[in-house]
Amino acid sequence: MSAVEQSGAYAAAFAESVENPERFWLKAAEAIDWVSAPTKALDDSAAPMYRWYPDATLNTCFNALDRHVAAGRGEQAALIYDSAMIGTTRTYSYADLLDEVSRFAGVLAARGITAGDRVVIYMPMIPEAAIAMLACARIGAVHSVVFGGFAAAELAARIDDAEPTALITASGGLEPGRTIEYLPMVARALGLTDNAPATVIVKDREQIPGAAADHGWLDWDTEIANAEPADCVPVAATDPLYILYTSGTTGKPKGVVRDNGGHAVALAWSMRNLYDIGAGQTMWTASDVGWVVGHSYIVYAPLLVGATTIVYEGKPVGTPDAGAFWRVVEQHRVRALFTAPTAIRAIRKEDPDAAELAKYDVSSLVTLFAAGERLDPDTYEWATAKLGMPVIDHWWQTETGWAICANLRGLEPMPIKAGSPTVSVPGYRVQIVDGEGTEVEPGTEGNIVIGLPLPPGTLAGLWRDEERYVKSYLSTFAGYYLTGDSGYIDADGYVFVLGRSDDVINVAGHRLSTGAMEAVVAQHAAVAECAVVGIKDDLKGQRPSGYVVLKAGADIDREVLRKDLVAMVRDQIGAVATFRDVTVVQALPKTRSGKILRKTMRQIADHEDYTVPSTIEDPAVLDALARLLGPGQ
Ligand code: COA
Ligand code: AMP
């Protein structure tokens, strides 16, 4: 047994969570107001498909809003919209937010949307995005938010899969120096799908051209002005709250399904025990509602515990400068800030001596949390030195919905080790196994797996695709959930997450599929074969890098080809893919069974040591690549 497992509040909580999960999670469930309280925590009757709180009913929106107003928090700030893009701040009290959400729920109900219906939300970082999500939760509809940086084809793929009855959007989003008009993209997406929803509602933003009427759609403001507020609809704890699509190794995104009950319990538990945030305190998560971090810690978790959340429309730098985050912390008295390491790197690059930080009073800030990618030791050291407070890395995924490994600041703060997200959060039995599924010794790198069942709040499955869920996550090592990450656990029980072991990459905290980019690149008339790998990037952690083999006789200028491919990826996946590098090669290194050696290609491009796999088809191809990309190139 390691040091961290032996003593203290963490050790006791972890032990109880794995030895007596019924007791642990029924106790945690007391933080939620149930319509019908659970008498049982785990239903394992259909293992490996597990369900939490099988006999309970609740409404997530009631827990996020109504109960706080009833308890006298109506006048407290629930949501602060802070737009660095248009220089606006607007505060919604709990009473205001409840009013807006109930009325928008009424709009949806009046259009015939009922419990179980899917609603796609394609919105920028404006309060209406959170209002739409909570309104869905209120009537039991299942929302599926699509990140605004995705292009029409990606939106269409999600509509195809979710088969929504409604789509909620806005006239557009604001990026530094340009506006993103959503309505032409929505129109294009609806043209690409056979499952176009009957109802489209548009929040008009005066900064962006385009209006609902141009397309015969409904206008948010008009609808809400005439709406009758709708009440909360009780749903089963096991009913879906949302579907969130995330990148897998293929081009087809995976629809991660989150339930209502387990989600509410896990998030409320995490606010107290991990983030140390309670009612009346302010948490700011500088992410986007389109990502899981935004779902959990911009929208649901802060509201579930009666805290104040901030919807920030802006960037860490350039809106207007590298002091943007510190300005928000000062202005709204933020206690916990949660961001991606790439944002800290961006601030450091612009303001290495933290001169901007010195201009603001950030004394309200107690902890800086980072996730979305590994917090590299260099960035960790810089942030800790400049802020003089704990900087906490924590590791999780869209699938889990909340942290797998963390330093639990509310439960028992632990010593920080740079480069590690600390220890397994109670409920998660994290282990490292080799290729055969055998647990390895401390300090040995391998596949990071989690013993089943996963705790409440984690994915209930993939939307209407149990087979893919089992194949992708549960079948590689029986009894374990495969995270897709590799790493090791040290002798103290600290977990070190080193990177993905599949073809998923992480660009500026955004999870992207190289397979999806390859599918686009392969469409080019001059391309015979291609591989996209994620290579190191000082600012964004990784960036996609494309390697293409031209068709015999293809005669195309390299720069023309690069521009074509960049434009195609931007058009079909979105600007967020940041696909910019294209290298023409004579051949791609492959195994004898034809599998492209992407990991070896990445190692060569990153100038790392690599071993030539014994299964290689033609070592000369790898040699040629090493000459082209190796050190000194
Ligand atoms: N809608 C439309 N376009 C978007 C977008 C959105 N919501 N978000 C990003 N984009 C566009 C950007 O405008 C940019 O377009 P460009 O190629 O025309 O310049 C492109 O996608 C790439 O964006 P990004 O990767 O964000 O790079 P950047 O250079 O604009 O900014 C950072 C760099 C580090 C400041 C930025 O990536 C950042 O703030 N990262 C933090 C990410 C984060 O919070 N992730 C959440 C996970 S927890
Ligand atoms: P997403 O599903 O978009 O949240 O991305 C999840 C993936 O991002 C994980 O599987 C990891 O590869 C990576 N990731 C997220 N947070 C961390 C972290 N704190 N340390 C290392 N990798 C992380």
Side-chain angles (χ1 to χ4, degrees), residues 327-379:
R327 192 268 302 161
V328 174
V329 168
E330 176 185 289
Q331 193 168 337
H332 307 302
R333 307 298 300 155
V334 171
R335 176 178 163 86
L337 167 57
F338 178 172
T339 190
T342 191
I344 308 173
R345 287 195 298 270
I347 294 170
R348 178 186 181 179
K349 196 170 160 213
E350 295 266 306
D351 184 22
D353 301 324
E356 290 294 337
L357 176 62
K359 292 182 189 165
Y360 297 93
D361 171 7
V362 295
S363 57
S364 62
L365 194 62
V366 173
T367 321
L368 173 64
F369 292 93
E373 53 174 315
R374 178 172 185 245
L375 177 60
D376 58 282
D378 197 33
T379 304

Side-chain angles (χ1 to χ4, degrees), residues 571-622:
D571 182 57
Q572 292 186 44
I573 295 180
V576 71
T578 52
F579 179 82
R580 308 209 207 293
D581 306 347
V582 175
T583 307
V584 174
V585 295
Q586 291 305 313
L588 295 170
K590 291 183 187 162
T591 63
R592 282 188 287 277
S593 59
K595 194 172 172 304
I596 297 171
L597 294 165
R598 290 184 183 78
K599 184 176 172 197
T600 319
M601 292 179 70
R602 180 188 62 70
Q603 288 170 321
I604 293 174
D606 284 342
H607 305 163
E608 286 175 8
D609 293 339
Y610 63 94
T611 43
V612 179
S614 58
T615 51
I616 191 161
E617 183 190 36
D618 179 1
V621 173
L622 208 55

Side-chain angles (χ1 to χ4, degrees), residues 147-149 175 178 286-287 293 316 342 508-509 540 570 575-576 578 580:
F147 176 60
E175 284 293 295
R178 68 192 172 111
S287 176
V293 169
T342 191
K540 298 190 178 185
R570 197 178 170 94
V576 71
T578 52
R580 308 209 207 293

